[in-house]
Amino acid sequence: MAEDKKKNLTVFGQETEFDGELEFTDSLVITGKFKGSINATGDLEIDENAVCDVVKMKAKSIEISGKVTGDVEAPECIELCSGSVVKGDMVSGRIRIADDVDYEGEVSMFDNAPEIDLFSVVSDEYKNAIVLKSNLPK
């Protein structure tokens, strides 16, 4: 399949300290220290030894095993793994929180649009799909 492109994986090692703004499109694993902001379209993993102090951390999906201070946003999924410490607000389509997580902040969920290609259905079908996924009477 043509969509099975090999994604690049970048790792910031334990000895790495980064201060600034970071943007990326593939996958990144932070195992060291990061301070600043992240605005990415790829996947992000914060290792158990990582310490991140951010204004905002945004990526497609974010898995946190270390310490994060600051707001976290991921349209697909945020996962807080056992032993992680997160202080900040989270916004995501899905959130998974393991046991033994220290979390302080507010959680907001994205409202996902109906999983219908708008251009492949007639308007009545699309309207019905929206009503089915909403709290509106049918």
Side-chain angles (χ1 to χ4, degrees):
M1 204 173 186
E3 292 180 37
D4 291 339
K5 293 181 183 175
K6 189 174 182 178
K7 284 194 166 191
N8 293 319
L9 173 66
T10 303
V11 178
F12 282 4
Q14 286 185 332
E15 302 300 317
T16 303
E17 292 187 26
F18 187 94
D19 190 347
E21 294 183 26
L22 184 61
E23 294 184 12
F24 59 91
T25 56
D26 285 330
S27 298
L28 174 68
V29 178
I30 297 175
T31 62
K33 293 181 180 178
F34 180 87
K35 184 175 182 176
S37 63
I38 297 173
N39 187 13
T41 56
D43 299 320
L44 176 61
E45 180 182 340
I46 308 301
D47 184 72
E48 64 184 349
N49 298 312
V51 177
C52 298
D53 185 7
V54 297
V55 174
K56 185 170 190 177
M57 175 184 290
K58 181 179 180 182
K60 182 173 80 172
S61 68
I62 301 173
E63 180 181 319
I64 301 173
S65 299
K67 296 179 182 173
V68 174
T69 302
D71 295 342
V72 179
E73 181 179 322
E76 278 192 11
C77 180
I78 296 173
E79 183 173 357
L80 303 184
C81 300
S82 182
S84 63
V85 177
V86 179
K87 307 247 186 272
D89 297 340
M90 293 191 300
V91 180
S92 185
R94 294 179 312 165
I95 294 177
R96 186 178 315 157
I97 301 176
D99 292 337
D100 191 33
V101 169
D102 182 0
Y103 176 68
E104 182 182 315
E106 293 185 17
V107 174
S108 300
M109 303 298 291
F110 284 123
D111 288 334
N112 292 332
E115 295 172 10
I116 290 181
D117 179 9
L118 178 61
F119 299 104
S120 69
V121 295
V122 293
S123 62
D124 287 339
E125 287 180 56
Y126 188 72
K127 287 179 191 174
N128 288 336
I130 291 172
V131 169
L132 289 175
K133 289 203 166 208
S134 72
N135 294 331
L136 297 173
K138 294 176 186 163

